[in-house]
Each structure stands twice: as structure tokens, then as C-alpha cells.
């Protein structure tokens, strides 16, 4: 479903992705963690073309990312959830969710709203359809953002630190939605430090440092017997929080 | 100084002042429309990615902002006939004001667009919206809310700048006021009558800006 082979990216002289090779199968849930600046956000932003890269090859759902023309179509199949939600402030929750289905999928307003309402109900916001983003808490905004991505019925969902901007008491309401999604068989890549989430639903955990993938392992191995010293060092720091 | 104001003479010239007021209103409105069209076009060119299309917009905006309006006005007034283009003074004035204000409006609109956070564009991208859809559905509706107040401010500047057209013998509010000065040797009466006219226009626009602001400010952002 997602296949990196030898992908490299530089920001100027800074080598942010080093020779990334990685395959994610359909239905797989992969958690990416690592210290800040390790390239994990950049990695998943490459998958829907938000970041270009300079060398290597990246195939997503059979589409080569080098083909900029196919990019628009590919993005309709790949949902992306941002750390800062990025809801449209001038639109209600329901309008946020239905905008792309109406203008990209060409659904009628009625069809899009039916789908949008169902999704907002699913993420527990049945009573917030007509609220504007500023009237919602961070956790609620992020759930609207997830519904907005899901409304395009994507094949892959990417999450870039979806709970990092949230107050602690709101983290679980967002994680619960993500766990539900994982259990339904969605293909997911999640950049997060929520190790509880990784233990519960990840098929694999990837540890990145300085632009390279250092270690890849199933969660039980990753947390109990990490192979690399740098992974152990990182885990000891975040698990002692 | 204003104590001995000869209001009788001012009233006597009321028909001329009124005509001048209407002329100023008309040429300002026409120039505003022209400036908006030029401003939107120049801004669209300035923010799109192709360098060779950006260049003309940059040259236009810089050339206008770097030179005085009076010089631009005379340049057209004396320059166009040398190219064999003979236009009525009123039209030359409208063209000069449109060109001048358009450059400032391009900058106002551009800064409004640039004030929209990058994440808004990325959210649109990640759901498959095209460049034009992102502009139309996400960026412009938010950017225009930010630009209405400065655009009205620019309109007020434009109205006052239109007084320069009196120098190429367009009969507008300033020129009408000068009639009192010239015919009756009463420059202060003429200037006060003129100023009152501009004051009316200023307050109309100012209250329009206030009303718009109150109704349309972005929810949650004051």
C-alpha cells in the first residue's frame, strides 16, 4: 500500500530523510516515534505529497509520487490529520466535513451531509454539527478533523502528532476514535508518542533518529526488548514521564 | 479665522460645489472599480509560481509605489497625446487613479492572502482540492475578511487623491472650491466648502467599514 525505496530528502544542506525503505501493507497500523527533528513528520508528509523529496521512489496505492499529475487524485485516497487540526474557521463542523466531498467527489449537498452527519456522530459530535471551530475544544476540533478526512472515504489515514496540541484530559477522546478506526481495518501511519496507543493497536512501531529508521519491531518486542541503544535511551526518556 | 466665514457666498456657490461633489463621487467610484480589477489581477500574478508572470506585477507595483501620483498623472496627461492617444481629461484622471490605487490594493490583497496560515492550504491539499478550489473556498473567503478594512482605507485615500485631478482641469470638488477663491477672492470659504464635501464622503465610508466589521468579523477572531 505504501512503499518507500531509498528515499532521501534535504532541506538545504540538512539531510532530513536518509535512505528510507519501508513497506506498509493494506490494513496495517504503523506507529512512528522518535525525538523531535528526527524526520518522522516529514516522512508521513511525503506520502501525500505535502513534502517533495529529492531521490528514491515512493509508491502509494500503486501511484508513483514522482508523478505530480496523479497527486491530486492520490490525495483523495489518503487522509491526513494535522497536529494543529487546521479546521476551516469560517465553516461549521459539518461544512468542514462536507467541503471536499462536495467539490472533489462531486457528491450532492444532501449526500455529502448525510455522510458527514454519520461521521460526526461516529466521532461523538452529533450535537456539534453547526458549531464553528472556535466554539469547540481542542479534542472536539481534532475529532472534526478526523471526520473531515474520513468523509473522503480514504484508503489510508496519516496522523501527524494528532494529540500533541491537546490538553491531557482530551487526548483519550481522540485516541479512542483512532483505535476504533484501526480495529475497523484502516491502513494507518501515526506519528505519536502515545505509547499506550502503540501497544494497543500498532502492528509495528518504527523508531526514527536523525532522518533514518533505526529500528522496526512489533510493539511487544519494541517496548520490552529494543535492539538499539538509541531506542532504549529514547524509550527510557518518554516512558518515565 | 473661521469666525468671519462668509456663508452667504458659500451658499451662493452651492450648485457648483454640489456638481463638484458629484464629479468627485463618480470619478472616485469609477477609479475604485478600476483599481480593484487591477489590484486583483496584479495580486493574482504576484502570488502564482511562474517567475516570468510574476515579473510584470512586481514592476507595476514598484513603479507606482516609487513615484508620486502627481508625476504619474502628468506623465499620462502629457505622454498619451505624444503616442497619438487623445482622451478626455476625466478619463485620463480615472486611468491614473486606477493605476495608482491598483498597485496599493494589490499589496493589500496579497498581504491578506499571505496572512492565512499555511495549515489551511495544506488541509485543502490533503483532501484533494485543486489550487483554484483552495483559493476560492478556503483562502479568499478568509483573506477578504481581513482586507475589507484596509481596502476601505485605500478608498478614502483615493477620494482625497482625486483632488489632484483639478490640476489637469477636471472639474471636481477641489476645482469647484477654487472657483469661490478665484471669482470672489475668498480662498478660505472655498477650502471650507471643499473640505466639508470630503468630510461627508469620509464619514460615509468610515461608517460602512464599521458596519461591515461588526457583521462579518471572523467568528472567534474579534
Amino acid at each position: 500500500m505504501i512503499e518507500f525505496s531509498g528515499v532521501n530528502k534535504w532541506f538545504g544542506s540538512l539531510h532530513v530523510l536518509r535512505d528510507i525503505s519501508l513497506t506498509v501493507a493494506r490494513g496495517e497500523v504503523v506507529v512512528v516515534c522518535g525525538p523531535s527533528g528526527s524526520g518522522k513528520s516529514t516522512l508521513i508528509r511525503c506520502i501525500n505529497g505535502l513534502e517533495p523529496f529529492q531521490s528514491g521512489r515512493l509508491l502509494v496505492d500503486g501511484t508513483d509520487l514522482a508523478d505530480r499529475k496523479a497527486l491530486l487524485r492520490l490525495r483523495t485516497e489518503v487522509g491526513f490529520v494535522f497536529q494543529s487540526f487546521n479546521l476551516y474557521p469560517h465553516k461549521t463542523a459539518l461544512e468542514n466535513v462536507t467541503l471536499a466531498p462536495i467539490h472533489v467527489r462531486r457528491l450532492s449537498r444532501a449526500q455529502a451531509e448525510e455522510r458527514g452527519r454519520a461521521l460526526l456522530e461516529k466521532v461523538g459530535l452529533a450535537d456539534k454539527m453547526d458549531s464553528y471551530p472556535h466554539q469547540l475544544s481542542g479534542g472536539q476540533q481534532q475529532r472534526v478533523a478526523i471526520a473531515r478526512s474520513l468523509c473522503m472515504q480514504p484508503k489510508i489515514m496519516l496522523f501527524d502528532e494528532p494529540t500533541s496540541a491537546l490538553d491531557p484530559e482530551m487526548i483519550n477522546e481522540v485516541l479512542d476514535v483512532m483505535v476504533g478506526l484501526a480495529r475497523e481495518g484502516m491502513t494507518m501511519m501515526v506519528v505519536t508518542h502515545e505509547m499506550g496507543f502503540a501497544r494497543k493497536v500498532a502492528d509495528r512501531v518504527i523508531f526514527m533518529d536523525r532522518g533514518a529508521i533505526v529500528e522496526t519491531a512489533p510493539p511487544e518486542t519494541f517496548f520490552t526488548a529494543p535492539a538499539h541503544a538509541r531506542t532504549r535511551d529514547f524509550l527510557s526518556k518518554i516512558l518515565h514521564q | 479665522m473661521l469666525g468671519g466665514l462668509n456663508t452667504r457666498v458659500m451658499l451662493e456657490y452651492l450648485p457648483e460645489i454640489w456638481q463638484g461633489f458629484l464629479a468627485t463621487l463618480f470619478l472616485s467610484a469609477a477609479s475604485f472599480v478600476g483599481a480593484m480589477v487591477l489590484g486583483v489581477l496584479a495580486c493574482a500574478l504576484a502570488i502564482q509560481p511562474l517567475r516570468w508572470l510574476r515579473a510584470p506585477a512586481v514592476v507595476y507595483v514598484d513603479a507606482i509605489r516609487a513615484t508620486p501620483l502627481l508625476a504619474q498623472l502628468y506623465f499620462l496627461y502629457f505622454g498619451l497625446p505624444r503616442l497619438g492617444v487623445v482622451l478626455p481629461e476625466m478619463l485620463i484622471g480615472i486611468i491614473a487613479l486606477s493605476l495608482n490605487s491598483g498597485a496599493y490594493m494589490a499589496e493589500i490583497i496579497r498581504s491578506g492572502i499571505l496572512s492565512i496560515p499555511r495549515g489551511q492550504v495544506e488541509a485543502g491539499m490533503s483532501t484533494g482540492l485543486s489550487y483554484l478550489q483552495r483559493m476560492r473556498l478556503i483562502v479568499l473567503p478568509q483573506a477578504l475578511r481581513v482586507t475589507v478594512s484596509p481596502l476601505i482605507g485605500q478608498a478614502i485615500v483615493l477620494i482625497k487623491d482625486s483632488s489632484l485631478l483639478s490640476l489637469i482641469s477636471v472639474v471636481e470638488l477641489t476645482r469647484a472650491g477654487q472657483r469661490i477663491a478665484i471669482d470672489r477672492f475668498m480662498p478660505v470659504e472655498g477650502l471650507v466648502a471643499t473640505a466639508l464635501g470630503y468630510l461627508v464622503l469620509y464619514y460615509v465610508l468610515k461608517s460602512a467599514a464599521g458596519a461591515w466589521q461588526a457583521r462579518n468579523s471572523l467568528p472567534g477572531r474579534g
Side-chain angles (χ1 to χ4, degrees), chain A residues 38-55:
Chain A
S38 59
K40 49 198 195 303
S41 290
T42 309
L43 178 81
I44 69 162
R45 285 167 61 87
C46 284
I47 297 171
N48 72 343
L50 286 180
E51 296 284 353
F53 51 89
Q54 281 81 29
S55 75

Side-chain angles (χ1 to χ4, degrees), chain A residues 45 75 86-87 89-90 103, chain B residues 119-120 122 125 133 137 142:
Chain A
R45 285 167 61 87
R75 281 175 178 155
N86 297 348
L87 292 183
H90 58 305
H103 292 278
Chain B
Q120 291 290 307
E122 290 189 346
M125 282 180 171
Q133 286 175 323
L137 300 167
Q142 295 183 62

Side-chain angles (χ1 to χ4, degrees), chain A residues 45 48-51 72 75-76 78-80 82 84-91 99-100 103-104 106 132 134 148-149 152, chain B residues 116-131 133-134 136-142 145 218-221:
Chain A
R45 285 167 61 87
N48 72 343
L50 286 180
E51 296 284 353
L72 269 188
R75 281 175 178 155
T76 65
V78 182
F80 198 102
F82 299 87
S84 51
F85 329 135
N86 297 348
L87 292 183
Y88 310 130
H90 58 305
K91 302 216 172 271
L99 184 80
H103 292 278
V104 179
R106 301 277 165 209
Y132 283 91
H134 74 99
R148 175 172 69 180
S149 288
M152 289 295 284
Chain B
I116 304 306
R118 175 81 191 148
Q120 291 290 307
V121 173
E122 290 189 346
M125 282 180 171
S126 71
T127 48
L129 294 172
S130 68
Y131 177 81
Q133 286 175 323
R134 297 195 299 265
R136 182 166 62 85
L137 300 167
I138 301 169
V139 177
L140 288 180
Q142 295 183 62
R145 283 178 167 83
L218 206 52
R221 286 198 194 160

Side-chain angles (χ1 to χ4, degrees), chain B residues 14-210:
Chain B
L14 193 59
E16 278 89 348
I17 297 291
W18 176 243
Q19 285 303 317
F21 178 84
L22 290 181
T24 288
L25 190 61
F26 164 74
L27 63 89
S28 299
S31 303
F32 184 80
V33 172
M36 276 300 279
V37 171
L38 282 169
V40 168
L41 270 176
C43 171
L45 288 182
I47 59 172
Q48 57 76 47
L50 298 172
R51 180 191 284 268
W52 58 274
L53 274 176
R54 267 203 316 262
V58 172
V59 169
Y60 162 60
V61 170
D62 284 353
I64 294 293
R65 297 216 304 172
T67 56
L69 171 57
L70 185 58
Q72 296 159 17
L73 185 61
Y74 279 151
F75 185 74
L76 290 178
Y77 184 64
F78 294 114
L80 286 179
R82 280 178 55 173
L83 297 174
V85 184
V86 179
L87 299 172
E89 287 86 1
M90 179 74 106
L91 190 54
I92 291 177
I94 290 173
I95 292 172
L97 281 178
S98 300
L99 280 170
N100 180 268
S101 233
Y104 293 95
M105 292 193 177
E107 286 297 282
I108 290 171
I109 299 168
R110 195 173 71 97
S111 67
I113 289 173
L114 294 183
S115 74
I116 304 306
R118 175 81 191 148
Q120 291 290 307
V121 173
E122 290 189 346
M125 282 180 171
S126 71
T127 48
L129 294 172
S130 68
Y131 177 81
L132 287 178
Q133 286 175 323
R134 297 195 299 265
M135 273 291 162
R136 182 166 62 85
L137 300 167
I138 301 169
V139 177
L140 288 180
Q142 295 183 62
L144 287 180
R145 283 178 167 83
V146 201
T147 51
V148 166
S149 289
L151 282 179
I152 291 179
Q154 182 59 35
I156 291 169
V157 171
L158 188 156
I159 289 172
K160 293 182 295 177
D161 281 351
S162 72
S163 66
L164 286 178
L165 301 202
S166 63
L167 295 170
I168 59 166
S169 65
V170 175
V171 179
E172 39 65 74
L173 191 50
T174 301
R175 186 80 169 188
Q178 284 167 353
R179 282 283 307 280
I180 305 184
I182 294 163
D183 292 0
R184 301 295 184 91
F185 307 107
M186 289 184 181
V188 175
E189 276 73 4
L191 287 169
V192 169
T194 304
L196 286 175
Y198 288 114
L199 207 63
V200 168
L201 289 175
Y202 169 76
Y203 274 111
V204 168
L205 281 177
K206 189 184 161 182
S207 51

